[in-house]
Amino acid sequence: MFRNVAELVHLAESQNKKISEVMIEQEMKVLQLSREEIIAKMDKNLVVMEKAIERGLQGVKSHSGLTGGDAVLLQEYIASGKSLSGDLLLDAVSKSVATNEVNAAMGTICATPTAGSAGVVPGTLYAVREKLNPTREQMVAFLFTSGAFGFVVANNASISGAAGGCQAEVGSASGMAAAAIVEMAGGTPSQCAEAMAITLKNMLGLVCDPVAGLVEVPCVKRNAMGAANAMVAADMALAGIKSRIPCDEVIGAMFRIGQSMPAALRETALGGLAATPTGKALEAKIFGAPKKEGK
């Protein structure tokens, strides 16, 4: 069992294993299931992710009308050949958006680690698949690697927007994805940890301020930027760049920042973008103007 990233990396390096393998073995012990059963359970999650991306790329709209169709617009933009950020990066962004648009449209997604941050891990996975050509087993391993880092965050900080802001949701998801990208690309366990640290520390302080209390605005676009953050951080780690602050300390900092956030910035829709004139107008349009006291 590992309790933090340092222990996770030590286990992997001392046993000459990938982080995904360490996580698989831990799941086998905890759940008392065979390797085949553990792999099969995770493969079911992968199937859900695949279907969500496919549905999102066909175009969906949320019931509120706040979100939908942006994943399609990005794919059309990529096809135009005019993109500035690069096709791989924008493909990851588009597929992350597609997943979260499906979530907003009340479709089935796989929480990674939450529904509001469900786009980043599958979006990046299915984008890098086009370049790295992984086997199905390697794609499942990607999810175990991301899960290992999510396990650490959940047990040492928080993955809840209500508890720690969006840094705990999309921030965690982005770090998880970055670490998994590094492993799939052939990086070391230490480089996976560096990617997680680089990603998360650049999302510290991100508030959770859903307009009208719905997981749509700005959640969908935060998944988009989280995916981009993960892709760049993975490249930085693979290039040999290290975080000056160790990964576990970054996670600890995220937890403390979350504790210090006012309630208005932790999923209550009382502050941030939710409290802007447009945010309040959208809320009134969706749910109706609040009744005045005494009426």
Side-chain angles (χ1 to χ4, degrees):
M1 293 285 289
F2 57 89
R3 295 166 297 178
N4 53 46
V5 172
E7 291 179 358
L8 173 61
V9 171
H10 175 73
L11 279 172
E13 292 182 340
S14 63
Q15 298 175 18
N16 195 29
K17 294 176 180 177
K18 294 181 178 180
I19 283 175
S20 55
E21 183 60 32
V22 173
M23 189 60 181
I24 290 170
E25 292 176 0
Q26 175 161 299
E27 290 291 278
M28 290 169 61
K29 291 179 182 177
V30 172
L31 299 178
Q32 294 294 296
L33 296 174
S34 68
R35 180 185 179 85
E36 291 71 26
E37 289 172 317
I38 292 295
I39 295 293
K41 285 172 69 70
M42 188 61 89
D43 191 81
K44 288 182 179 179
N45 294 331
L46 186 59
V47 170
V48 171
M49 293 176 179
E50 289 173 330
K51 291 181 177 178
I53 290 174
E54 289 171 1
R55 182 183 171 191
L57 291 180
Q58 290 172 2
V60 293
K61 289 287 184 181
S62 69
H63 294 291
S64 71
L66 285 177
T67 56
D70 288 344
V72 174
L73 289 177
L74 273 168
Q75 286 295 329
E76 292 173 350
Y77 179 61
I78 293 169
S80 75
K82 298 177 181 179
S83 70
L84 304 176
S85 302
D87 292 355
L88 180 60
L89 182 67
L90 286 185
D91 192 41
V93 169
S94 174
K95 288 170 178 173
S96 296
V97 168
T99 302
N100 263 84
E101 288 182 333
V102 167
N103 177 57
M106 306 302 287
T108 303
I109 51 86
C110 181
T112 46
T114 66
S117 60
V120 182
V121 169
T124 54
L125 168 57
Y126 277 88
V128 298
R129 181 184 66 165
E130 305 302 321
K131 184 175 181 67
L132 300 178
N133 298 310
T135 63
R136 184 74 178 186
E137 184 178 2
Q138 289 172 323
M139 293 178 71
V140 171
F142 185 104
L143 301 184
F144 279 109
T145 304
S146 63
F149 283 90
F151 173 85
V152 170
V153 175
N155 285 282
N156 290 276
S158 175
I159 56 171
S160 164
C166 198
Q167 58 167 3
E169 293 203 23
V170 173
S172 296
S174 302
M176 291 160 58
I181 295 167
V182 168
E183 180 173 295
M184 180 174 277
T188 66
S190 291
Q191 287 177 321
C192 292
E194 299 294 349
M196 170 72 175
I198 292 169
T199 305
L200 186 56
K201 73 182 186 181
N202 284 294
M203 301 187 81
L204 293 179
L206 186 58
V207 302
C208 183
D209 51 351
V211 170
L214 302 172
V215 187
E216 299 188 49
V217 177
C219 317
V220 174
K221 293 183 179 68
R222 282 190 179 152
N223 274 259
M225 303 316 293
N229 194 343
M231 295 288 289
V232 173
D235 263 335
M236 291 175 71
L238 288 165
I241 297 171
K242 297 181 179 181
S243 170
R244 293 294 184 183
I245 308 299
C247 190
D248 287 313
E249 293 184 30
V250 175
I251 293 171
M254 186 263 278
F255 175 63
R256 292 188 295 275
I257 291 169
Q259 287 187 309
S260 68
M261 278 185 186
L265 300 178
R266 287 187 281 121
E267 208 171 333
T268 58
L270 296 175
L273 297 176
T276 61
T278 298
K280 299 304 290 184
L282 289 170
E283 180 182 18
K285 181 179 180 181
I286 295 167
F287 296 114
K291 291 183 180 180
K292 293 183 179 180
E293 198 170 322
K295 291 186 178 182

